[in-house]
Amino acid sequence: MAIFLTILLPYLKDNFQKMTNTFQHIDFDFANAKTNTGTHSFHPYPAKFIPQIPNFFIHQFSKMGDTIYDPFLGSGTTCVEANLLGRHAIGNDVNELAVLMSKVKTTPISEEALQKVEQLINSIYTALENKHLLKEKATTYPEIPRLQDWFKSFVIDEIIIIKKNIQNLIDDDFRDFCLLALASIIVSVSKQDSNTRYVRVEKNIKSKDTIDKFARQLRKMKNIMLETANSLQNGNTNVKVGDSRELGHFNNNQADLAITSPPYPNAYDYHLYHKYRLFWLDMNPYELKKREIGCHAHYSKKNGLTEFDFMKDMKKCFVNISNILKPEKHLVLVIGNSILKGRKIENNELLKKVAQQTSFELVTEYTRTIRLTKKSFNPKIGKIKQEKILLFQNKK
């Protein structure tokens, strides 16, 4: 047996090196690829992970029926691609909205349930016509900080009507489907400038616009789901609200491959830009702020966190990812640079140093150029032009 391994291991290593060299000729820019098709288009999400990357590596390093792990779910891209390719998916995120998004994007909704979309929309319009039957605002308005500073009164009334009708739905999966449709329009009907700019601006929003936008989005999602539901049934997904620095989200040796785009230090405040979506869905942006790795609010303070704090956090994540991954299986990370107190931080180099302190061994690294319309952050904290794709092997 020992002689056999002595002969086999150099052969495997040589062939694996040939394969990784071949990857160097792959155009990871995917410059002309459509990145917002199918259920990927259900909800806006800044700095979205493009589906072509997980799709490529799932093909290369897994087989039908395998389990793919994403420790930072984000918009659920890896899970969707895993299911479409006949793999199972598991994942976690500290952002409750990200978990809802991932669940809805990967959960097939039956044609029978989707037939209730028009019934729901009609009941919402009927309730709007009878808006005078709403209780006094003092009791019907949710306890959301500065709600009337960020939403016009009639918009608040319309969101309440939509949410109340959704909550009356019996089917849990269909209810989540409709809640995600509501969440997707919240910023557009608020006074928040955009998904990446948390300042108040006046918008030309009229009465009934909110319900009209919701109806259009829900119908769009219904049509996509009708086209995609059968393909999503190729695999199952299990997603949880959970911090990748903490143990116990999934079983050891459960996953055959891990693919993710991890947080960037000082790059983005998901708790802030999704704040009113989270509030309206009865989620907690304050708790997310405490637990969000890379949160700009924690790095921008005078005595704020540094890249070394980021490395400590990511080391804990790497250890847990290694536990969940089977031995010799692969981890794919996609990450760009950050600006921290005027200094450019090469996050790929930080993660390579972190990996050296764990069981992960770097196999190879690729560079991809990002379209100017993608991955746009606040220019003061970095506009990302390139990303690195890091391929590690779990040598536990």
Side-chain angles (χ1 to χ4, degrees), residues 107-126:
T107 301
I109 305 294
S110 69
E111 190 171 344
E112 181 183 359
L114 291 171
Q115 287 174 354
K116 297 176 184 176
V117 162
E118 291 306 319
Q119 181 182 333
L120 173 66
I121 290 171
N122 289 337
S123 68
I124 290 169
Y125 278 116
T126 300

Side-chain angles (χ1 to χ4, degrees), residues 93-102 241-242 278 281-285 287-288 291:
D93 201 296
V94 293
N95 186 345
E96 296 169 274
L97 179 59
V99 175
L100 175 67
M101 210 177 297
S102 302
V241 178
L278 291 162
L281 268 59
D282 303 314
M283 297 171 178
N284 190 340
E287 184 62 25
L288 175 57
R291 302 173 71 191

Side-chain angles (χ1 to χ4, degrees), residues 299-310:
Y299 284 83
S300 59
K301 295 184 290 189
K302 185 177 179 181
N303 296 311
L305 300 181
T306 70
E307 63 267 37
F308 300 107
D309 295 294
F310 174 72

Side-chain angles (χ1 to χ4, degrees), residues 191-372:
K191 295 181 183 180
Q192 182 177 322
D193 183 54
S194 70
N195 286 301
T196 56
R197 194 161 181 261
Y198 186 73
V199 295
R200 273 190 301 158
V201 296
E202 287 301 323
K203 297 179 184 177
N204 185 26
I205 301 169
K206 303 182 182 69
S207 178
K208 205 164 74 69
D209 281 356
T210 301
I211 293 178
D212 287 344
K213 281 176 179 281
F214 171 76
R216 284 196 297 272
Q217 177 66 6
L218 189 58
R219 285 173 176 139
K220 171 191 162 186
M221 288 172 59
K222 169 193 168 183
N223 291 335
I224 290 170
M225 183 54 71
L226 286 170
E227 295 172 358
T228 329
N230 287 339
S231 298
L232 291 174
Q233 291 174 354
N234 293 334
N236 299 316
T237 290
N238 179 15
V239 290
K240 302 177 180 180
V241 178
D243 190 329
S244 288
R245 291 168 291 191
E246 299 170 355
L247 292 167
H249 300 307
F250 298 99
N251 295 332
N252 287 353
N253 302 316
Q254 185 173 349
D256 301 281
L257 174 66
I259 307 177
T260 195
S261 181
Y264 297 25
N266 197 42
Y268 202 78
D269 284 331
Y270 286 95
H271 73 274
L272 183 64
Y273 298 108
H274 286 312
K275 185 175 183 178
Y276 284 96
R277 288 188 172 118
L278 291 162
F279 275 133
W280 275 111
L281 268 59
D282 303 314
M283 297 171 178
N284 190 340
Y286 301 132
E287 184 62 25
L288 175 57
K289 180 180 178 180
K290 289 180 196 173
R291 302 173 71 191
E292 191 179 330
I293 297 176
C295 174
H296 172 59
H298 300 320
Y299 284 83
S300 59
K301 295 184 290 189
K302 185 177 179 181
N303 296 311
L305 300 181
T306 70
E307 63 267 37
F308 300 107
D309 295 294
F310 174 72
M311 291 174 72
K312 288 177 186 175
D313 282 335
M314 291 306 298
K315 181 180 177 181
K316 293 176 184 176
C317 296
F318 272 42
V319 169
N320 289 335
I321 295 167
S322 173
N323 289 338
I324 293 167
L325 263 184
K326 295 173 184 176
E328 304 299 320
K329 298 300 183 178
H330 294 88
L331 165 65
V332 180
L333 299 178
V334 182
I335 195 162
N337 295 331
S338 298
I339 302 296
L340 184 53
K341 292 183 170 59
R343 297 178 293 117
K344 184 172 83 169
I345 305 297
E346 295 183 344
N347 293 315
N348 62 311
E349 297 301 329
L350 297 185
L351 294 182
K352 285 190 274 189
K353 289 178 182 176
V354 169
Q356 290 171 359
Q357 302 171 41
T358 70
S359 62
F360 284 107
E361 182 179 292
L362 181 69
V363 176
T364 190
E365 179 179 20
Y366 315 99
T367 301
R368 66 178 300 265
T369 302
I370 304 167
R371 280 187 284 172
L372 294 177

Side-chain angles (χ1 to χ4, degrees), residues 32 99 148 189 348:
N32 299 315
V99 175
Q148 290 180 285
V189 299
N348 62 311

